[in-house]
Amino acid sequence: MDSVYQYLGYPAQANDDSGTSRDNLWLYGVGTFVVLWTLGWLYRDSLEIEDIKEKYVFVTGCDSGFGNLLCKRLDRRGFRVIAGCLTEKGADDLKRATGPYLKTVLLDVTSTGSIQKAMEYTKQEVEDNGLWGIVNNAGRSLPMGPSEWMRLEDYTSTLKVNMTGVIEMTLTFLPLIKEARGRIVNVASVLGRVAANGGGYCISKFAVESFSDCLRRDIHYFGIKVCIIEPGFFKTAVTSLDPIESELHRLWNQLTPEVKASYGDKYLDKYIQIQRLIMNAVCDSDLSKVTNCMEHALTSAYPRTRYSAGWDAKFGWIPLSYMPSCVIDIGLKLVMPRPAKSV
């Protein structure tokens, strides 16, 4: 380093003044590097793909919520959108709200036959163009609640949609995506980084994170990009309070008298009150924060590996996921109600 300083005009044996100047030089250098790197990253992040009007995108879970809004946005951008809807009403409503180039197909991601039919339909639509993008957005959250309240079927009903559905959709449509050297966008969750409640939802979203990471590393040789969307809490059908409370009552009613006694008669009411408080406090009504991330993953020349959508995700859940497990354990212990017969 003395040689570098001598070249820049500083003596090898520095006195206090020259030492201070050296420190300033380092600060200026580091500051300049940070500014240039930030500007370069922002410029690279702003670059978009070409020929959007010739690209096909398949989106699942388009009856409502994120998928419905994303289809409308992509349609306005000029993409050839194929929307997978669970119900005919959802498909009809979406077609009425969009242009003539958006197509809909009935899709149940828990059914292999339904997925295969959707793939065959898509193959006919895209012809030799291939499929530029698939957005695995379809999902369900319920039932959620204490793990002991669940039965095996309560777990599998969620895993079939959020985990197995994502995997089967991706593997079935992968040949079409390879043709276009396109994008796979998987919707995970901040609860795929922090397991905050029982049930299949957190398990399934951890699985989506893991599957996406493995897939990205396996197929990057083919020019395919795999992106993960990690939304925070938003006001959608998934976070609607009425179904959540209804499912909690159902879970409580199926418990044995011994298990109910261990929690106490007031536990369910306290648990529901906390769920109401959390949902009302943190749920964001601006769904575009999520669809902006999805759109960027499909249109950017250099898409990001992960997108954290929502302020609670960026400044709450994601930083929390890097903390020791004991921090999360203590936080949940302070927030959640205490069973009557706890130690």
Side-chain angles (χ1 to χ4, degrees):
M1 290 306 300
D2 282 341
S3 300
V4 174
Y5 284 128
Q6 286 179 340
Y7 178 79
L8 294 173
Y10 292 96
Q13 301 296 325
N15 55 30
D16 290 342
D17 292 337
S18 62
T20 301
S21 299
R22 289 185 182 187
D23 293 339
N24 291 337
L25 181 64
W26 274 108
L27 290 175
Y28 293 146
V30 171
T32 301
F33 172 79
V34 170
V35 171
L36 291 176
W37 184 89
T38 302
L39 292 175
W41 184 88
L42 290 172
Y43 172 73
R44 187 174 185 270
D45 195 57
S46 67
L47 297 176
E48 292 192 345
I49 59 173
E50 299 177 350
D51 302 323
I52 283 179
K53 294 184 178 181
E54 299 176 6
K55 298 189 182 301
Y56 290 81
V57 176
F58 193 104
V59 185
T60 70
C62 301
D63 296 73
S64 62
F66 301 136
N68 187 277
L69 179 58
L70 176 65
C71 286
K72 294 174 182 177
R73 292 174 63 109
L74 295 180
D75 182 61
R76 287 196 293 268
R77 289 290 301 269
F79 277 102
R80 303 298 181 94
V81 180
I82 303 173
C85 298
L86 183 61
T87 66
E88 291 186 4
K89 181 180 184 304
D92 292 340
D93 290 345
L94 182 58
K95 280 190 287 190
R96 283 196 294 267
T98 53
Y101 293 113
L102 183 140
K103 308 294 183 182
T104 61
V105 58
L106 292 180
L107 174 65
D108 178 1
V109 297
T110 66
S111 167
T112 298
S114 180
I115 292 174
Q116 195 63 36
K117 287 181 181 178
M119 191 277 290
E120 294 296 337
Y121 175 84
T122 303
K123 189 175 182 179
Q124 293 178 358
E125 285 290 320
V126 303
E127 297 180 339
D128 296 331
N129 295 300
L131 183 64
W132 173 251
I134 182 170
V135 182
N136 286 308
N137 166 75
R140 61 175 293 171
S141 61
L142 300 177
M144 282 187 180
S147 298
E148 188 181 12
W149 297 11
M150 304 287 167
R151 294 178 179 174
L152 181 59
E153 53 266 31
D154 293 322
Y155 284 98
T156 55
S157 63
T158 302
L159 295 174
K160 283 181 180 179
V161 178
N162 296 359
M163 183 186 72
T164 310
V166 169
I167 295 173
E168 188 169 4
M169 281 293 300
T170 302
L171 296 181
T172 302
F173 281 78
L174 188 56
L176 298 179
I177 298 169
K178 286 177 73 173
E179 288 182 21
R181 302 180 67 183
R183 309 283 167 82
I184 298 171
V185 182
N186 291 333
V187 180
S189 169
V190 292
L191 296 184
R193 302 285 291 269
V194 178
N197 50 42
Y201 187 78
C202 291
I203 297 171
S204 67
K205 294 306 181 180
F206 269 85
V208 170
E209 295 270 357
S210 178
F211 171 68
S212 301
D213 282 337
C214 294
L215 184 68
R216 183 182 67 254
R217 292 157 186 158
D218 290 339
I219 65 175
H220 76 276
Y221 302 103
F222 303 107
I224 300 172
K225 303 291 194 304
V226 180
C227 305
I228 305 171
I229 312 296
E230 298 172 333
F233 282 57
F234 287 85
K235 290 183 179 179
T236 66
V238 170
T239 56
S240 177
L241 284 171
D242 288 340
I244 291 175
E245 294 178 15
S246 177
E247 279 295 296
L248 286 171
H249 280 286
R250 181 186 69 81
L251 293 172
W252 176 261
N253 291 334
Q254 74 182 13
L255 297 178
T256 64
E258 293 79 12
V259 175
K260 287 183 179 179
S262 68
Y263 284 90
D265 294 336
K266 297 182 179 180
Y267 186 88
L268 176 61
D269 291 336
K270 292 179 180 178
Y271 194 96
I272 289 176
Q273 288 176 2
I274 290 172
Q275 292 298 316
R276 289 175 182 169
L277 179 64
I278 293 173
M279 293 302 177
N280 290 328
V282 303
C283 283
D284 193 336
S285 61
D286 184 8
L287 304 188
S288 66
K289 291 176 182 175
V290 178
T291 55
N292 286 342
C293 296
M294 297 174 172
E295 187 176 341
H296 186 274
L298 293 168
T299 60
S300 175
Y302 302 97
R304 308 169 201 169
T305 299
R306 279 179 166 80
Y307 293 82
S308 300
W311 297 118
D312 63 319
K314 287 180 170 60
F315 299 107
W317 297 103
I318 300 302
L320 193 63
S321 69
Y322 292 102
M323 293 185 181
S325 297
C326 64
V327 174
I328 302 172
D329 294 347
I330 294 171
L332 290 175
K333 186 181 293 185
L334 293 174
V335 172
M336 302 307 293
R338 191 180 183 91
K341 294 185 179 180
S342 58
V343 178

